[in-house]
Amino acid sequence: MFKFAIQNMENQDPAVVDAIKESGESTLEKAKTKAKTKFDQFVDVSLNIAVTGKTGSGKSSFVNALRGLEDEDDRAAPTGVTETTMEPTMYEHPEMPNVKIWDLPGIGSPNFKAKKYLNDVNFNTYDFFIILNSERFMENDIMLAKEIRKRKKRFYFVRSKIDNDMSSEKKKKGFDEQKVLSIIREDCQKNLKELGDPKVFLISSCDLEEYDFESLQNTLEDELPEHKKYALLQAWPVCSAASLEKKINMFKRMTWAASLVSAGVAVVPVPGLSAACDVGMVVLFLTRCYYAFGLDERSLTRLSEKVNKPHLKDLAKSKFVTAIREKALTRLQASAALAAISTVEYFLSLLPGVGSAAAAGISFATTQYLLREGVNDLADTARIIRKEAGLASVH
Ligand SMILES: Nc1nc2c(ncn2[C@@H]2O[C@H](COP(=O)(O)OP(=O)(O)O)[C@@H](O)[C@H]2O)c(=O)[nH]1
Ligand SMILES: [Mg+2]
């Protein structure tokens, strides 16, 4: 009876009703529990990607590409060096420490033993394996795939350095990119028939917008468990217009959870007057969004150098981009979910009519508005920058 009364009162706030609806639950209590689980997964779920293949196949370059780093970056995996260790090397995603990409030892030796190799590299650590080769797949790749399958994990064959193939083929008369790609694909797949004809993804670590990098993202998304998808979609570099839109949709779909987690709606007796909104959560959510859309300085510098358009950075000046940049959370803070009070006040100052003194008591509706506005603002900025960069866009 008592519970029913409370529920009724809370339901008077349309913003809260909205959030409950989006949660798919029937009561605020249930919606809040679900929001907490979802949000924790969204921020913190671990994803461990193993990158393997023979020495020189481009493993370290691929690891760097996944982390959005140039091979020259201080934090990058060294490339062009021969592996001397049998230990996997772990590389954290620069902004998401819960996502780890592992550069595994080469599988090139003539007396390669898949079983021993997988034991040596701590097989259980990984969510899935990327098996790279810059030529056609050979006996060792196949042996490894069979052993991974026997142990009930997934593997993906990736044919690397496609840009090299393209530049040598381009010199020939009657060059047709699609034709070259299908010849490479068939050539790679020929040896893999005994594995049931798995798909081979053709990629270049130098240009993720080209070839099958997007298709690899889609396949991984389809095959990963729901909660791991969040980590993948946040960490995966933006590689196409559709890939950006997917990220935007994910953040939009998460705002109900982020707002319920941020706002203290349980103790609200009067609609519109919320107890402490944890603006730290709002900042965390939008900071994740900012990095996932590639709006940080490093990503923008990289993009503008790539397309040779130095003015691209000037386009990243929207209200929220500026706010996040001024107060950007460091990597550690971004996972600890704790923002400094100054950040909180700064964010609140973005809202019309909300002073920083209100930090402890903004309404649920305001929290929700801040999150939605933030995602929209960042999304629009990212779309504009893609367009200006001359990259393909979604119509
Ligand atoms: N053009 C081109 N070169 C690549 C690509 N991936 C790797 N490389 C180069 O191939 C060489 C070996 O790459 P590396 O990542 O060190 O291979 P690993 O031994 O498997 O770690 C290096 O000189 C890389 O710069 C690619 O996609 N395109
Ligand atoms: Mg290497």
Side-chain angles (χ1 to χ4, degrees), residues 57-58 132-134 158-162 165 201 203-205:
S57 60
L132 274 180
N133 204 318
S134 54
V158 173
R159 164 63 158 81
S160 61
K161 308 190 195 177
I162 295 296
D165 300 80
F201 299 91
I203 64 115
S204 158
S205 295

Side-chain angles (χ1 to χ4, degrees), residues 54-61 77-83 91 103-104 106:
K54 69 177 184 185
T55 300
S57 60
K59 294 185 293 297
S60 304
S61 306
T79 56
V81 294
T82 312
E83 287 106 335
Y91 293 97
D103 196 346
L104 265 46

Side-chain angles (χ1 to χ4, degrees), residues 62-75:
F62 187 72
V63 167
N64 295 335
L66 280 184
R67 296 168 72 220
L69 299 178
E70 306 260 10
D71 287 345
E72 294 74 33
D73 195 289
D74 287 347
R75 294 159 297 176

Side-chain angles (χ1 to χ4, degrees), residues 355-372:
S356 63
I362 63 166
S363 73
F364 180 78
T366 305
T367 310
Q368 202 180 50
Y369 175 81
L370 192 59
L371 287 163
R372 285 180 180 164

Side-chain angles (χ1 to χ4, degrees), residues 65-348:
L66 280 184
R67 296 168 72 220
L69 299 178
E70 306 260 10
D71 287 345
E72 294 74 33
D73 195 289
D74 287 347
R75 294 159 297 176
T79 56
V81 294
T82 312
E83 287 106 335
T84 50
T85 157
M86 267 307 286
E87 300 285 318
T89 312
M90 185 266 277
Y91 293 97
E92 277 181 1
H93 187 275
E95 284 86 30
M96 292 184 56
N98 52 317
V99 175
K100 296 178 172 68
I101 303 155
W102 298 77
D103 196 346
L104 265 46
I107 59 169
S109 70
N111 55 354
F112 174 74
K113 299 274 185 297
K115 223 180 235 169
K116 180 173 187 313
Y117 179 86
L118 288 178
N119 291 340
D120 286 348
V121 301
N122 305 317
F123 173 80
N124 282 323
T125 309
Y126 314 108
D127 290 291
F128 59 86
F129 291 78
I130 301 279
I131 305 177
L132 274 180
N133 204 318
S134 54
E135 293 155 356
R136 74 171 65 123
F137 293 93
M138 302 301 277
E139 196 51 36
N140 288 349
D141 303 303
I142 296 162
M143 272 201 300
L144 185 64
K146 280 184 177 164
E147 190 60 31
I148 295 171
R149 180 180 282 173
K150 218 197 264 172
R151 300 186 191 197
K152 308 228 170 335
K153 286 211 180 173
R154 291 190 194 268
F155 54 82
Y156 301 89
F157 286 112
V158 173
R159 164 63 158 81
S160 61
K161 308 190 195 177
I162 295 296
D163 55 312
N164 279 348
D165 300 80
M166 284 304 158
S167 47
S168 56
E169 289 293 325
K170 260 183 196 148
K171 294 180 196 130
K172 297 181 187 166
K173 249 196 201 148
F175 166 76
D176 175 348
E177 180 175 293
Q178 288 311 314
K179 211 164 174 183
V180 175
L181 290 175
S182 62
I183 290 169
I184 298 174
R185 203 183 302 279
E186 270 164 37
D187 181 51
C188 282
Q189 267 162 339
K190 205 156 50 190
N191 283 353
L192 302 177
K193 291 264 187 291
E194 56 177 309
L195 285 166
D197 225 359
K199 188 166 180 195
V200 174
F201 299 91
L202 313 183
I203 64 115
S204 158
S205 295
C206 313
D207 195 350
L208 306 181
E209 296 264 337
E210 291 283 348
Y211 319 118
D212 294 339
F213 191 73
E214 178 187 21
S215 163
L216 178 61
Q217 174 191 334
N218 293 338
T219 304
L220 290 172
E221 254 185 274
D222 283 347
E223 298 185 357
L224 276 174
E226 183 71 24
H227 59 293
K228 299 267 182 186
K229 274 181 209 176
Y230 299 142
L232 183 89
L233 253 181
Q234 284 175 80
W236 200 258
V238 177
C239 59
S240 69
S243 143
L244 174 63
E245 293 305 317
K246 277 192 174 178
K247 285 171 181 251
I248 294 170
N249 282 332
M250 171 181 65
F251 277 92
K252 284 188 174 168
R253 278 201 314 272
M254 282 302 293
T255 49
W256 71 267
S259 53
L260 282 177
V261 169
S262 312
V265 276
V267 285
V268 192
V270 185
L273 237 199
S274 159
C277 159
D278 187 349
V279 185
M281 291 290 188
V282 176
V283 178
L284 168 65
F285 186 74
L286 293 178
T287 305
R288 281 290 180 94
C289 190
Y290 163 87
Y291 283 117
F293 296 175
L295 292 167
D296 55 293
E297 298 261 11
R298 185 175 53 76
S299 303
L300 289 175
T301 305
R302 222 186 142 187
L303 178 63
S304 62
E305 281 170 4
K306 194 181 136 196
V307 301
N308 201 15
K309 290 187 179 171
H311 72 283
L312 283 184
K313 273 191 190 168
D314 302 335
L315 299 171
K317 294 262 162 71
S318 70
K319 207 160 69 169
F320 279 86
V321 172
T322 310
I324 294 167
R325 181 153 312 147
E326 299 260 313
K327 302 287 172 185
L329 297 183
T330 65
R331 207 176 56 83
L332 278 179
Q333 282 171 317
S335 65
L338 279 171
I341 270 297
S342 64
T343 320
V344 173
E345 291 182 347
Y346 196 89
F347 258 70
L348 287 170

